[in-house]
Coordinates of all heavy atoms in Angstrom, one line a residue:
A119 N -10.1 -2.7 -8.0 CA -10.1 -2.4 -9.6 C -8.6 -2.2 -9.8 O -7.8 -1.7 -9.1 CB -11.0 -1.2 -9.9
S120 N -8.2 -2.5 -11.2 CA -7.0 -2.3 -11.7 C -7.1 -1.3 -12.8 O -7.8 -1.5 -13.8 CB -6.3 -3.6 -12.1 OG -5.0 -3.4 -12.7
Y121 N -6.3 -0.2 -12.7 CA -6.2 0.8 -13.8 C -4.8 1.0 -14.2 O -4.5 1.9 -15.0 CB -6.8 2.2 -13.4 CG -8.3 2.0 -12.8 CD1 -8.6 1.9 -11.5 CD2 -9.4 2.0 -13.7 CE1 -9.8 1.7 -11.0 CE2 -10.6 1.9 -13.3 CZ -10.8 1.7 -11.9 OH -12.2 1.5 -11.5
G122 N -3.9 0.2 -13.8 CA -2.5 0.4 -13.9 C -1.8 0.2 -12.7 O -2.4 -0.3 -11.7
T123 N -0.4 0.3 -12.7 CA 0.2 0.1 -11.4 C 1.0 1.4 -11.0 O 1.3 2.2 -11.9 CB 1.4 -1.1 -11.6 OG1 2.2 -0.8 -12.6 CG2 0.6 -2.4 -11.9
G124 N 1.3 1.5 -9.8 CA 2.2 2.6 -9.4 C 1.5 3.7 -8.9 O 1.7 4.8 -9.3
V125 N 0.4 3.6 -8.1 CA -0.4 4.7 -7.5 C 0.5 5.5 -6.5 O 1.1 5.0 -5.6 CB -1.6 4.2 -6.7 CG1 -2.3 5.4 -6.0 CG2 -2.6 3.5 -7.7
N126 N 0.5 6.9 -6.8 CA 1.5 7.6 -6.0 C 0.6 8.6 -5.2 O 1.2 9.3 -4.1 CB 2.3 8.6 -7.0 CG 3.5 9.2 -6.3 OD1 4.2 8.4 -5.7 ND2 3.8 10.3 -6.5
G127 N -0.6 8.7 -5.2 CA -1.5 9.5 -4.4 C -3.0 9.1 -4.6 O -3.4 8.6 -5.8
I128 N -3.8 9.5 -3.6 CA -5.3 9.1 -3.7 C -6.0 10.3 -2.8 O -5.6 10.7 -1.9 CB -5.5 7.7 -3.1 CG1 -7.0 7.3 -3.3 CG2 -5.1 7.6 -1.7 CD1 -7.2 5.8 -3.1
L129 N -7.2 10.4 -3.4 CA -8.1 11.4 -2.8 C -9.5 11.1 -3.0 O -9.9 10.6 -4.0 CB -7.9 13.0 -3.5 CG -8.5 14.1 -2.9 CD1 -7.6 15.4 -3.1 CD2 -10.0 14.3 -3.4
A130 N -10.2 11.2 -1.9 CA -11.7 10.8 -1.8 C -12.5 11.9 -1.7 O -12.3 12.8 -0.9 CB -11.8 9.8 -0.8
D131 N -13.6 12.1 -2.6 CA -14.4 13.3 -2.4 C -15.9 12.7 -2.7 O -16.3 12.6 -4.0 CB -14.0 14.2 -3.5 CG -15.0 15.6 -3.6 OD1 -15.3 15.9 -2.4 OD2 -15.2 16.0 -4.6
G132 N -16.5 12.3 -1.7 CA -17.9 11.8 -1.8 C -17.9 10.5 -2.5 O -17.2 9.6 -2.1
S133 N -18.6 10.4 -3.7 CA -18.7 9.1 -4.4 C -17.6 9.1 -5.5 O -17.6 8.2 -6.3 CB -20.1 9.1 -5.0 OG -20.3 10.2 -6.0
T134 N -16.6 9.9 -5.6 CA -15.5 10.0 -6.5 C -14.2 9.8 -5.8 O -13.9 10.6 -4.8 CB -15.6 11.3 -7.4 OG1 -16.9 11.4 -7.9 CG2 -14.5 11.1 -8.5
V135 N -13.4 8.9 -6.2 CA -12.0 8.8 -5.8 C -11.1 9.3 -7.1 O -11.3 8.8 -8.2 CB -11.7 7.4 -5.4 CG1 -10.3 7.3 -5.2 CG2 -12.5 7.1 -4.1
Y136 N -10.1 10.0 -6.7 CA -9.1 10.4 -7.7 C -7.7 9.5 -7.4 O -7.2 9.6 -6.3 CB -8.8 11.8 -7.7 CG -10.0 12.6 -8.0 CD1 -11.0 13.1 -7.0 CD2 -10.3 12.9 -9.4 CE1 -12.1 13.8 -7.3 CE2 -11.5 13.6 -9.7 CZ -12.4 14.1 -8.6 OH -13.5 14.8 -9.0
L137 N -7.1 9.0 -8.4 CA -6.0 8.2 -8.3 C -4.9 8.8 -9.2 O -5.1 9.4 -10.3 CB -6.1 6.8 -8.8 CG -7.1 5.8 -8.1 CD1 -7.1 4.4 -8.8 CD2 -6.8 5.7 -6.6
L138 N -3.7 9.1 -8.6 CA -2.6 9.5 -9.3 C -1.5 8.5 -9.5 O -1.1 7.9 -8.5 CB -1.9 10.7 -8.4 CG -0.6 11.2 -8.8 CD1 -0.8 11.9 -10.2 CD2 -0.1 12.3 -7.9
F139 N -1.2 8.3 -10.7 CA -0.3 7.3 -11.1 C 0.9 7.8 -11.6 O 1.1 9.0 -12.1 CB -0.9 6.5 -12.4 CG -2.0 5.6 -12.0 CD1 -3.2 6.1 -12.2 CD2 -1.7 4.4 -11.6 CE1 -4.4 5.4 -12.0 CE2 -2.8 3.5 -11.4 CZ -4.1 4.0 -11.5
K140 N 2.1 7.2 -11.3 CA 3.4 7.7 -11.8 C 3.7 7.4 -13.2 O 3.1 6.6 -13.8 CB 4.5 6.8 -10.9 CG 4.6 7.1 -9.5 CD 5.7 6.1 -8.9 CE 5.9 6.4 -7.3 NZ 6.9 5.6 -6.8
A141 N 4.5 8.3 -13.7 CA 4.7 8.5 -15.2 C 5.3 7.1 -15.8 O 5.0 6.7 -16.9 CB 5.4 9.6 -15.6
S142 N 6.0 6.5 -14.9 CA 6.8 5.3 -15.3 C 5.8 3.9 -15.6 O 6.3 3.2 -16.0 CB 7.9 5.0 -14.4 OG 7.5 4.8 -13.1
D143 N 4.7 4.3 -14.9 CA 3.8 3.1 -14.8 C 2.7 3.4 -15.7 O 2.0 2.2 -16.2 CB 3.3 2.8 -13.4 CG 4.5 2.5 -12.4 OD1 5.2 1.6 -12.8 OD2 4.6 3.2 -11.4
V144 N 2.2 4.5 -15.9 CA 1.0 4.7 -16.9 C 1.5 5.8 -17.8 O 2.1 6.7 -17.4 CB -0.2 5.2 -16.1 CG1 -1.3 5.6 -17.0 CG2 -0.7 4.1 -15.3
T145 N 1.3 5.5 -19.1 CA 1.7 6.5 -20.1 C 0.4 7.0 -20.8 O -0.3 6.3 -21.3 CB 2.6 5.7 -21.2 OG1 3.7 5.1 -20.5 CG2 3.2 6.8 -22.2
P146 N 0.3 8.5 -20.7 CA 1.1 9.4 -19.9 C 0.9 9.3 -18.5 O -0.1 8.7 -18.1 CB 0.8 10.6 -20.6 CG -0.7 10.5 -20.8 CD -0.8 9.1 -21.4
N147 N 1.6 10.1 -17.6 CA 1.3 10.1 -16.3 C -0.2 10.8 -16.1 O -0.5 11.5 -16.7 CB 2.3 11.2 -15.8 CG 2.2 11.2 -14.1 OD1 2.0 10.2 -13.5 ND2 2.6 12.3 -13.6
A148 N -0.9 10.0 -15.1 CA -2.4 10.4 -15.3 C -3.0 10.6 -13.8 O -2.5 9.8 -12.8 CB -3.1 9.2 -16.1
V149 N -4.0 11.3 -13.8 CA -5.0 11.4 -12.7 C -6.3 10.7 -13.3 O -6.9 11.2 -14.3 CB -5.2 12.8 -12.2 CG1 -6.2 12.8 -11.1 CG2 -4.0 13.4 -11.8
W150 N -6.8 9.7 -12.6 CA -8.0 9.1 -13.0 C -9.0 9.4 -11.9 O -8.9 9.4 -10.6 CB -7.8 7.6 -13.0 CG -6.9 7.1 -14.0 CD1 -5.6 7.5 -14.4 CD2 -7.1 6.0 -15.0 NE1 -5.1 6.8 -15.4 CE2 -6.2 5.9 -15.8 CE3 -8.4 5.2 -15.2 CZ2 -6.1 4.9 -16.9 CZ3 -8.3 4.2 -16.3 CH2 -7.2 4.1 -17.1
S151 N -10.3 9.6 -12.5 CA -11.4 9.8 -11.5 C -12.2 8.5 -11.6 O -12.5 7.9 -12.7 CB -12.3 10.9 -11.8 OG -12.7 10.8 -13.3
I152 N -12.7 8.1 -10.5 CA -13.3 6.7 -10.2 C -14.6 6.9 -9.4 O -14.6 7.5 -8.3 CB -12.4 5.7 -9.6 CG1 -10.9 5.7 -10.1 CG2 -13.1 4.3 -9.6 CD1 -10.8 5.3 -11.6
V153 N -15.7 6.5 -9.9 CA -16.9 6.5 -9.3 C -16.9 5.3 -8.3 O -16.8 4.2 -8.7 CB -18.2 6.6 -10.1 CG1 -18.4 5.4 -11.1 CG2 -19.4 6.9 -9.2
V154 N -17.1 5.6 -6.9 CA -17.3 4.4 -6.0 C -18.6 4.4 -5.2 O -18.7 3.9 -4.0 CB -16.1 4.6 -4.9 CG1 -14.7 4.5 -5.7 CG2 -16.1 6.0 -4.3
S155 N -19.7 4.9 -5.7 CA -21.0 4.8 -5.2 C -21.3 3.4 -5.0 O -22.1 3.2 -4.0 CB -21.9 5.6 -5.9 OG -22.1 5.2 -7.3
T156 N -20.9 2.5 -5.8 CA -21.1 1.1 -5.5 C -19.7 0.5 -5.2 O -19.0 0.2 -6.2 CB -21.7 0.4 -6.6 OG1 -23.0 1.1 -7.1 CG2 -22.0 -1.0 -6.4
P157 N -19.3 0.4 -4.0 CA -18.0 0.1 -3.6 C -17.5 -1.4 -4.2 O -16.3 -1.5 -4.4 CB -18.0 -0.1 -2.0 CG -19.2 0.9 -1.8 CD -20.2 0.6 -2.7
T158 N -18.5 -2.2 -4.4 CA -18.1 -3.6 -5.0 C -17.8 -3.4 -6.4 O -17.3 -4.4 -7.1 CB -19.3 -4.5 -4.7 OG1 -20.4 -4.0 -5.2 CG2 -19.4 -4.8 -3.2
A159 N -18.2 -2.4 -7.0 CA -18.0 -2.2 -8.5 C -17.6 -0.9 -8.9 O -18.3 -0.1 -9.5 CB -19.3 -2.6 -9.3
P160 N -16.3 -0.4 -8.5 CA -15.9 0.9 -8.9 C -15.8 0.9 -10.3 O -15.3 0.0 -11.1 CB -14.4 1.0 -8.2 CG -14.1 -0.4 -8.0 CD -15.3 -1.2 -7.7
A161 N -15.9 2.2 -10.9 CA -15.9 2.3 -12.3 C -15.2 3.7 -12.7 O -15.5 4.7 -12.1 CB -17.4 2.4 -13.1
E162 N -14.5 3.6 -13.9 CA -13.8 4.8 -14.3 C -14.7 5.9 -14.8 O -15.7 5.5 -15.5 CB -12.7 4.3 -15.4 CG -12.1 5.5 -16.1 CD -11.3 5.3 -17.4 OE1 -11.3 4.0 -17.7 OE2 -10.8 6.2 -18.0
L163 N -14.4 7.1 -14.6 CA -15.2 8.3 -15.1 C -14.4 8.9 -16.2 O -14.9 9.3 -17.3 CB -15.5 9.2 -13.9 CG -16.6 8.8 -12.9 CD1 -16.6 9.8 -11.8 CD2 -17.9 8.8 -13.6
G164 N -13.0 9.2 -15.8 CA -12.3 10.0 -16.8 C -10.8 10.1 -16.4 O -10.5 9.5 -15.3
N165 N -10.0 10.8 -17.1 CA -8.6 10.8 -16.7 C -7.9 12.2 -17.3 O -8.5 12.7 -18.4 CB -7.8 9.7 -16.9 CG -7.7 9.3 -18.4 OD1 -7.0 9.9 -19.2 ND2 -8.4 8.2 -18.7
G166 N -6.9 12.5 -16.8 CA -6.1 13.7 -17.2 C -4.6 13.4 -17.2 O -4.2 12.5 -16.5
S167 N -3.8 14.1 -17.9 CA -2.4 13.7 -17.9 C -1.5 14.9 -17.5 O -1.8 16.0 -17.7 CB -1.9 13.3 -19.3 OG -2.0 14.2 -20.2
W168 N -0.5 14.6 -16.6 CA 0.5 15.7 -16.2 C 2.0 14.9 -16.3 O 2.1 13.8 -16.2 CB 0.3 16.1 -14.8 CG -0.8 17.0 -14.7 CD1 -0.8 18.4 -14.6 CD2 -2.2 16.8 -14.7 NE1 -1.9 18.9 -14.5 CE2 -2.9 18.1 -14.5 CE3 -3.0 15.6 -14.7 CZ2 -4.3 18.1 -14.5 CZ3 -4.4 15.7 -14.5 CH2 -5.0 17.0 -14.5
M169 N 3.0 15.8 -16.5 CA 4.3 15.2 -16.5 C 4.9 15.3 -15.1 O 4.8 16.4 -14.3 CB 5.2 16.1 -17.3 CG 5.1 16.1 -18.7 SD 5.3 14.4 -19.4 CE 7.1 14.2 -19.0
H170 N 5.1 14.1 -14.6 CA 5.7 13.9 -13.2 C 4.8 14.4 -12.1 O 5.3 15.1 -11.2 CB 7.1 14.5 -13.1 CG 8.0 14.0 -14.3 ND1 8.6 14.8 -15.1 CD2 8.3 12.7 -14.5 CE1 9.3 14.0 -16.0 NE2 9.1 12.8 -15.7
A171 N 3.6 14.2 -12.1 CA 2.6 14.6 -11.1 C 2.9 13.9 -9.7 O 3.2 12.7 -9.9 CB 1.2 14.5 -11.6
L172 N 2.9 14.5 -8.6 CA 3.3 13.9 -7.5 C 2.2 14.0 -6.3 O 2.4 13.0 -5.5 CB 4.6 14.6 -6.8 CG 5.8 14.3 -7.8 CD1 6.9 15.4 -7.3 CD2 6.3 13.0 -7.7
A173 N 1.2 14.8 -6.4 CA 0.3 14.9 -5.3 C -1.1 15.6 -5.9 O -1.1 16.2 -6.8 CB 0.9 15.6 -4.1
L174 N -2.0 15.3 -5.0 CA -3.4 15.8 -5.3 C -4.0 16.5 -4.0 O -3.7 16.1 -2.9 CB -4.4 14.6 -5.6 CG -4.1 13.9 -6.9 CD1 -5.0 12.7 -7.0 CD2 -4.3 14.7 -8.1
A175 N -4.8 17.4 -4.3 CA -5.6 18.1 -3.1 C -6.8 18.6 -3.7 O -7.0 18.7 -4.9 CB -4.8 19.3 -2.4
K176 N -7.7 18.9 -2.8 CA -9.1 19.4 -3.3 C -9.6 20.5 -2.3 O -9.4 20.1 -0.9 CB -10.1 18.4 -3.5 CG -11.4 18.8 -4.2 CD -12.3 17.8 -4.4 CE -13.7 18.3 -5.1 NZ -14.3 19.3 -4.3
R177 N -10.1 21.6 -2.7 CA -10.7 22.5 -1.8 C -12.0 22.0 -1.4 O -12.9 21.7 -2.3 CB -10.8 24.0 -2.4 CG -11.2 25.0 -1.6 CD -11.2 26.3 -2.3 NE -11.9 27.4 -1.6 CZ -12.1 28.6 -2.2 NH1 -11.6 28.8 -3.5 NH2 -12.8 29.4 -1.5
S178 N -12.4 22.1 -0.1 CA -13.6 21.6 0.4 C -14.8 22.3 -0.2 O -14.8 23.5 -0.4 CB -13.7 21.7 1.9 OG -15.0 21.3 2.4
S179 N -15.9 21.6 -0.7 CA -17.1 22.1 -1.2 C -16.9 22.9 -2.5 O -17.9 23.5 -3.0 CB -17.8 23.0 -0.1 OG -18.0 22.3 1.1
V180 N -15.7 22.8 -3.0 CA -15.5 23.6 -4.4 C -15.0 22.6 -5.4 O -14.0 21.8 -5.1 CB -14.3 24.7 -4.2 CG1 -14.1 25.3 -5.6 CG2 -14.9 25.7 -3.3
P181 N -15.7 22.5 -6.6 CA -15.2 21.5 -7.5 C -13.9 21.7 -8.3 O -13.8 22.0 -9.5 CB -16.4 21.5 -8.6 CG -16.8 23.0 -8.5 CD -16.6 23.4 -7.1
T182 N -12.8 21.9 -7.5 CA -11.5 22.3 -8.1 C -10.5 21.2 -7.5 O -10.3 21.2 -6.2 CB -11.0 23.7 -7.8 OG1 -12.0 24.5 -8.3 CG2 -9.7 23.9 -8.6
L183 N -9.8 20.6 -8.3 CA -8.7 19.7 -7.8 C -7.4 20.4 -8.1 O -7.2 21.1 -9.1 CB -8.8 18.3 -8.7 CG -7.9 17.2 -8.4 CD1 -8.4 16.5 -7.1 CD2 -7.9 16.2 -9.5
Y184 N -6.4 20.0 -7.2 CA -5.0 20.7 -7.3 C -4.0 19.6 -7.6 O -4.0 18.7 -6.8 CB -4.8 21.5 -6.2 CG -5.7 22.6 -5.9 CD1 -6.9 22.6 -5.3 CD2 -5.3 23.9 -6.6 CE1 -7.7 23.7 -5.2 CE2 -6.3 25.0 -6.3 CZ -7.4 24.8 -5.7 OH -8.2 26.0 -5.7
V185 N -3.2 19.7 -8.6 CA -2.3 18.6 -9.0 C -0.9 19.2 -8.8 O -0.6 20.1 -9.7 CB -2.6 18.1 -10.4 CG1 -1.6 17.1 -10.8 CG2 -4.0 17.6 -10.6
A186 N -0.1 18.6 -8.0 CA 1.3 19.1 -7.9 C 2.1 18.3 -8.8 O 2.1 17.1 -8.9 CB 1.8 18.9 -6.5
Y187 N 3.0 19.1 -9.7 CA 3.9 18.3 -10.5 C 5.1 19.1 -10.7 O 5.4 20.1 -9.9 CB 3.2 18.1 -11.8 CG 2.8 19.4 -12.6 CD1 3.5 19.7 -13.9 CD2 1.9 20.3 -12.1 CE1 3.2 20.9 -14.5 CE2 1.5 21.4 -12.9 CZ 2.2 21.7 -14.1 OH 1.9 22.9 -14.8
D188 N 6.0 18.8 -11.7 CA 7.5 19.3 -11.9 C 7.4 20.8 -12.0 O 8.2 21.6 -11.3 CB 8.1 18.7 -13.0 CG 8.8 17.5 -12.8 OD1 8.7 17.0 -11.6 OD2 9.5 17.1 -13.6
D189 N 6.4 21.4 -12.7 CA 6.5 22.9 -13.0 C 5.7 23.7 -12.0 O 5.5 24.8 -12.1 CB 6.0 23.1 -14.4 CG 6.9 22.6 -15.3 OD1 8.2 22.6 -15.1 OD2 6.6 22.2 -16.4
G190 N 5.1 23.1 -11.0 CA 4.2 23.7 -10.0 C 2.9 23.0 -9.7 O 2.9 21.8 -9.5
V191 N 1.9 23.8 -9.5 CA 0.4 23.2 -9.4 C -0.5 23.6 -10.3 O -0.6 24.9 -10.6 CB 0.0 23.6 -7.9 CG1 -1.4 23.0 -7.6 CG2 1.0 23.1 -6.9
D192 N -1.3 22.7 -10.8 CA -2.4 23.1 -11.7 C -3.7 23.0 -10.9 O -3.9 22.2 -10.0 CB -2.6 22.2 -12.9 CG -1.7 22.5 -14.0 OD1 -1.0 23.6 -14.1 OD2 -1.5 21.7 -15.0
A193 N -4.6 24.1 -11.1 CA -5.9 24.1 -10.6 C -6.8 23.5 -11.8 O -6.7 23.9 -12.9 CB -6.5 25.4 -10.2
V194 N -7.6 22.5 -11.4 CA -8.3 21.7 -12.4 C -9.8 21.6 -12.0 O -10.1 21.2 -10.9 CB -7.8 20.2 -12.6 CG1 -8.6 19.4 -13.6 CG2 -6.2 20.3 -12.8
S195 N -10.7 22.2 -12.9 CA -12.2 22.0 -12.7 C -12.6 20.5 -12.9 O -12.4 19.8 -13.9 CB -12.9 22.8 -13.7 OG -14.3 22.6 -13.5
V196 N -13.1 20.1 -11.8 CA -13.8 18.7 -11.7 C -15.4 18.9 -11.6 O -16.0 18.0 -10.9 CB -13.1 17.8 -10.7 CG1 -11.8 17.4 -11.2 CG2 -13.1 18.3 -9.4
S197 N -16.0 19.9 -12.0 CA -17.5 19.9 -12.0 C -18.1 18.8 -12.5 O -19.1 18.2 -12.0 CB -18.0 21.3 -12.7 OG -17.4 22.4 -12.1
D198 N -17.5 18.3 -13.6 CA -17.8 17.1 -14.3 C -16.6 16.2 -14.1 O -15.6 16.3 -15.0 CB -18.2 17.2 -15.8 CG -18.4 15.9 -16.4 OD1 -18.3 14.9 -15.7 OD2 -18.9 15.9 -17.5
P199 N -16.5 15.2 -13.1 CA -15.2 14.5 -13.0 C -14.9 13.6 -14.2 O -13.7 13.3 -14.3 CB -15.6 13.4 -11.8 CG -16.7 14.2 -11.2 CD -17.6 14.9 -12.2
S200 N -15.7 13.4 -15.1 CA -15.3 12.8 -16.3 C -14.5 13.6 -17.4 O -14.0 13.1 -18.3 CB -16.4 12.1 -17.0 OG -17.3 13.1 -17.5

Side-chain angles (χ1 to χ4, degrees):
S120 179
Y121 303 99
T123 59
V125 173
N126 202 44
I128 189 167
L129 187 148
D131 182 38
S133 62
T134 305
V135 167
Y136 298 91
L137 299 178
L138 170 62
F139 291 92
K140 292 182 179 179
S142 59
D143 297 308
V144 173
T145 304
N147 191 30
V149 176
W150 291 52
S151 55
I152 314 295
V153 62
V154 291
S155 49
T156 303
T158 56
E162 177 193 351
L163 288 172
N165 62 76
S167 61
W168 281 263
M169 286 301 296
H170 306 122
L172 294 170
L174 297 172
K176 188 177 180 299
R177 185 176 169 189
S178 178
S179 303
V180 177
T182 305
L183 190 70
Y184 297 85
V185 182
Y187 66 111
D188 270 6
D189 293 330
V191 176
D192 276 352
V194 181
S195 173
V196 288
S197 297
D198 177 356
S200 67

